Amino acid sequence: MAVIKSNYAVEEGIYQMEVAWTGDVRPGQFFMLRAWDRDPLLSRPISVHDYDAESGTLSFLYQVKGKGTKLMSELGPMDAIQLDGPHGNGFPDVKSNLVVVGGGMGIAPLLYAVRDFKAKHKRKKVRVYLGYSFESYGVEPFNDVADDVIVNIGGIITEKVEVKRGETVFGCGPNVMMRALADAVPPKHPVYLSLEKRMACGMGVCLGCSVKTVDGNKQVCADGPVFERDELIWEGGL
Amino acid sequence: MSGALLTNFAGVPFKNPVIAASGTFGFGRQFEKIYDLSKIGGLCTKGLTLEPRPGNTGERLWETPAGLLNSIGLENPGVDAFIENEWPHLADIDTVTIPNVGGSDLDSYVQAVSKFNDLPVKLIELNISCPNVKCGGMAFGMDPDQAYAVTKAVVDESAHPVMAKLTPNAPDLTGVARACEEAGAAGLSLINTIQGMAVDVDRRRIVFDNVYAGLSGPAVKPIALRMVHQVVHAVSIPVMALGGISDWRDALEFIMIGAQCVQVGTMNFVDTTVLPDIVDGLETYCTKHGIQNLDDVRGIL
Ligand SMILES: Cc1cc2nc3c(=O)[nH]c(=O)nc-3n(C[C@H](O)[C@H](O)[C@H](O)COP(=O)(O)OP(=O)(O)OC[C@H]3O[C@@H](n4cnc5c(N)ncnc54)[C@H](O)[C@@H]3O)c2cc1C
Ligand SMILES: Cc1cc2nc3c(=O)[nH]c(=O)nc-3n(C[C@H](O)[C@H](O)[C@H](O)COP(=O)(O)O)c2cc1C
Ligand code: FES
């Protein structure tokens, strides 16, 4: 059980929650969250949006979709929440310049990815593309850490993305967008994509979140959620 | 530990009757990081087939009120890879590992089970009840004659006792149970998942590529209880009961109607320490009520 420090709407239906937590966590990893007893039955996978080791604050950015996230949105400071994790592999530590592409709620894990990268490689550049269908949210903190932030509303973000020499790409968004990004970036650039699948266990035992890769099936929860583009076999939309 | 939970199942001693259900525990490795597996009575492995299987395409999970629909389709590395990579590790753990074996035809069942003949396995769970594979699986558990045929063929070739895992989807469940007993099964386990389906109204389509999927979790418990009750009265071999068990009280319900052991599946996803918690809960119950052994309450109803 962890204690909530704050939980507020950043936009209609989009919430940010800060939780007291200390430990090792990589960008791109996620937690299985629950703040209820048995209804709904399963815990909800939510990515780490930001982490401040000094103050022991873990942030989540989440969209109210259904019952679970609705219940989460109703919590306040000092309420308890169960965090199981961190799970998954997270984004790799890369040494080139970085291009980060987020679609909708896919921006959630990318803030910590950018912050962590900049902390490790002060002289390297990060350019961030954020694509939204209707309204933008969560952009401000990216402006603080990235060298360049391009926001696009209502278009297809992957058409705007430019990748230059020596840049590596990180992406997170709906799986269709991940595929479009995989197709759009020239083969010479490494592309790391964070995928989404429905999850029951979040730790590699139920095999509910398998994806096809060149090395056979892998689990998004345990082997991912981040995969290198060339690993993935995009069959049947993943 | 008082010894109140010591349980004999078809001649196999279990330190307690609380066992992880197939497909919800992997091969134990992930749970080993959470608690000491020697705390639980045993574990059933993910369903194993002669050849590796990639499992089903499309959506594999869908949550329902108090339940879970799954369409995994027996994704597994195959018996050989299991024996090479997982068995040596599991054999070192002080708990009973029960390989859960599936097949697509009689011969593939027999061959898969025979691969365990030279290993010190104590019990095999024969999966004739998976609703999520196109050929084999549940087809064998739907009809007493088929169930008899596959169980007999496997029992004749197996060096170890065989427990047949039954499907709640069989029109004549007790008929299938009796057929397995006659064929030489040492015990039975039930229930596997109940066939269900789901519709995604946003995408306007049936959720699962296979159309039907298997329902499990607390939602199915009353049905499982009724079926276990029917089966324990129909056969004289022991029964491992499962279906919706989420705490020690649920476990006791099944034991009081005659189950020798219980398995817990879906709840492992919800509460990763549910199995050792049930062991503790049963132990405390026995102490509190002065019960020397669970046999004192087993089958009293
Ligand atoms: C690795 C990972 C990280 C995620 N990170 C975030 C995040 O940082 N912020 C955020 O807002 N959302 C994130 N999601 C999606 C989030 O898990 C779902 O939106 C949420 O579970 C919906 O739950 P609900 O009860 O509100 O909705 P319901 O529709 O009631 O959920 C029903 C079931 O569907 C599952 N589900 C629904 N949508 C999704 C989805 N898109 N992906 C996976 N399972 C889903 C739920 O977990 C639940 O089992 C992430 C998903 C994954 C797999
Ligand atoms: C994700 C998942 C995978 C399963 N895989 C198998 C399997 O490989 N073999 C098998 O015999 N049963 C399998 N089952 C069925 C369970 O072992 C169990 O019979 C069923 O879930 C009912 O128990 P529960 O309500 O406690 O989950 C699976 C169930 C789930 C939820
Ligand atoms: S969610 Fe269970 S294996 Fe990934």
Side-chain angles (χ1 to χ4, degrees), chain B residues 156-236:
Chain B
D156 285 350
E157 289 298 321
S158 174
H160 311 295
V162 174
M163 163 171 83
K165 183 164 178 180
L166 308 185
T167 169
N169 305 307
D172 175 15
L173 179 64
T174 51
V176 173
R178 277 195 215 96
C180 293
E181 179 176 30
E182 248 170 74
L188 301 172
S189 55
L190 68 146
I191 61 174
N192 206 315
T193 54
I194 302 176
Q195 252 188 339
M197 74 181 280
V199 173
D200 184 337
V201 294
D202 293 321
R203 293 196 297 164
R204 300 188 195 187
R205 50 179 290 186
I206 289 169
V207 167
F208 297 104
D209 282 5
N210 257 6
V211 184
Y212 304 135
L215 181 66
S216 62
V220 310
K221 197 191 82 182
I223 301 171
L225 209 52
R226 185 263 294 173
M227 289 180 162
V228 169
H229 188 253
Q230 287 175 321
V231 167
V232 294
H233 284 98
V235 298
S236 44

Side-chain angles (χ1 to χ4, degrees), chain A:
Chain A
M1 282 294 174
V3 175
I4 293 172
K5 294 184 171 183
S6 60
N7 187 28
Y8 50 90
V10 295
E11 181 57 52
E12 201 180 318
I14 314 278
Y15 285 74
Q16 180 153 343
M17 182 189 283
E18 265 97 37
V19 179
W21 187 86
T22 45
D24 285 332
V25 60
R26 296 173 60 85
Q29 287 191 306
F30 66 95
F31 284 79
M32 295 297 279
L33 267 61
R34 64 192 294 128
W36 50 85
D37 184 20
R38 297 285 160 80
D39 180 22
L41 190 63
L42 301 173
S43 301
R44 296 325 196 214
I46 304 285
S47 306
V48 172
H49 178 52
D50 210 351
Y51 178 54
D52 180 10
E54 232 162 79
S55 65
T57 309
L58 195 59
S59 307
F60 299 104
L61 183 73
Y62 61 97
Q63 180 168 30
V64 173
K65 273 275 194 61
K67 200 163 189 169
T69 46
K70 174 85 175 32
L71 285 169
M72 281 169 54
S73 74
E74 288 161 359
L75 300 172
M78 299 311 287
D79 281 341
I81 188 160
Q82 192 178 318
L83 303 184
D84 184 20
H87 291 294
N89 58 355
F91 287 105
D93 186 14
V94 298
K95 292 182 178 68
S96 65
N97 290 330
L98 197 61
V99 172
V100 168
V101 186
M105 274 321 298
I107 71 161
L110 298 175
L111 178 64
Y112 184 41
V114 174
R115 188 186 301 287
D116 183 67
F117 177 82
K118 282 302 256 188
K120 285 179 179 145
H121 312 284
K122 295 205 169 44
R123 297 213 186 94
K124 300 283 178 195
K125 300 273 183 243
V126 188
R127 189 166 61 262
V128 178
Y129 295 86
L130 303 176
Y132 302 87
S133 335
F134 303 110
E135 217 144 0
S136 65
Y137 46 82
V139 178
E140 207 46 41
F142 281 98
N143 287 328
D144 296 341
V145 287
D147 297 283
D148 201 2
V149 180
I150 298 118
V151 175
N152 183 68
I153 297 172
I156 296 172
I157 187 79
T158 49
E159 288 174 358
K160 305 269 192 270
V161 175
E162 268 182 68
V163 186
K164 297 172 198 149
R165 232 182 58 190
E167 290 179 327
T168 298
V169 180
F170 285 180
C172 185
N175 286 359
V176 280
M177 182 192 138
M178 292 300 91
R179 176 161 199 183
L181 185 61
D183 290 343
V185 179
K188 60 176 181 274
H189 302 278
V191 180
Y192 294 92
L193 305 169
S194 180
L195 303 181
E196 245 184 47
K197 278 270 179 178
R198 279 171 193 266
M199 294 181 176
C201 70
M203 58 182 202
V205 297
C206 73
L207 309 185
C209 67
S210 297
V211 284
K212 254 191 183 176
T213 77
V214 291
D215 300 318
N217 279 3
K218 289 198 174 175
Q219 274 64 58
V220 172
C221 66
D223 304 312
V226 179
F227 293 92
E228 214 281 323
R229 158 177 62 181
D230 297 336
E231 282 182 82
L232 296 165
I233 300 173
W234 298 90
E235 228 172 57
L238 272 189

Side-chain angles (χ1 to χ4, degrees), chain B residues 9 56 222 270:
Chain B
F9 186 95
N56 289 338
V270 176

